[in-house]
Amino acid sequence: MDLQSLKNEKKVIGTKQASRALKENKAKLVFIAQDAEKHVTKHVEELSKQNNVEIIYVDFMEELGRICNIQVGAAVVAVLK
C-alpha cells in the first residue's frame, strides 16, 4: 500500500489509538513517521513486530498528517482490518 491510498482506508491516528488497535488485533498495517521522536513511536513499532503487522516508514509527520486530513503532523497511523 502506498501513502496516497491511505486516504481511502479506515484508520486510527496517533500512538494511543494505534497501540490499542494492535493490542486488539485490529490493525493490518502501520505507518510511522521517521522524524517523530523515537520514544513516542518505539512502543507501536514493538507491538507491530510482535503481531507481525507490516510497518511502512514515512519521512515526515507533516506528510502523514496531511494525508489523513488533519491540521497537525501524525507520528503513527494504523490501517484497520
Side-chain angles (χ1 to χ4, degrees):
M1 174 183 293
D2 66 349
L3 198 55
Q4 290 300 320
S5 61
L6 179 60
K7 288 182 179 181
N8 302 321
E9 294 287 332
K10 187 172 180 178
K11 60 192 164 291
V12 291
I13 303 167
T15 54
K16 282 186 183 178
Q17 292 84 350
S19 293
R20 184 179 309 129
L22 286 161
K23 288 176 186 173
E24 295 174 357
N25 198 27
K26 293 181 180 178
K28 65 179 180 180
L29 180 64
V30 171
F31 287 85
I32 297 177
Q34 290 186 317
D35 67 336
E37 294 189 32
K38 294 301 173 204
H39 74 273
V40 173
T41 60
K42 184 179 179 180
H43 183 65
V44 172
E45 200 168 2
E46 290 170 357
L47 282 173
S48 298
K49 290 176 182 177
Q50 288 173 5
N51 292 310
N52 295 318
V53 173
E54 181 183 359
I55 301 171
I56 296 177
Y57 293 95
V58 178
D59 292 332
F60 304 105
M61 290 174 53
E62 180 183 328
E63 180 182 13
L64 195 51
R66 187 173 52 248
I67 290 292
C68 294
N69 276 332
I70 60 173
Q71 302 298 316
V72 295
V76 177
V77 175
V79 178
L80 301 176
K81 293 180 181 177

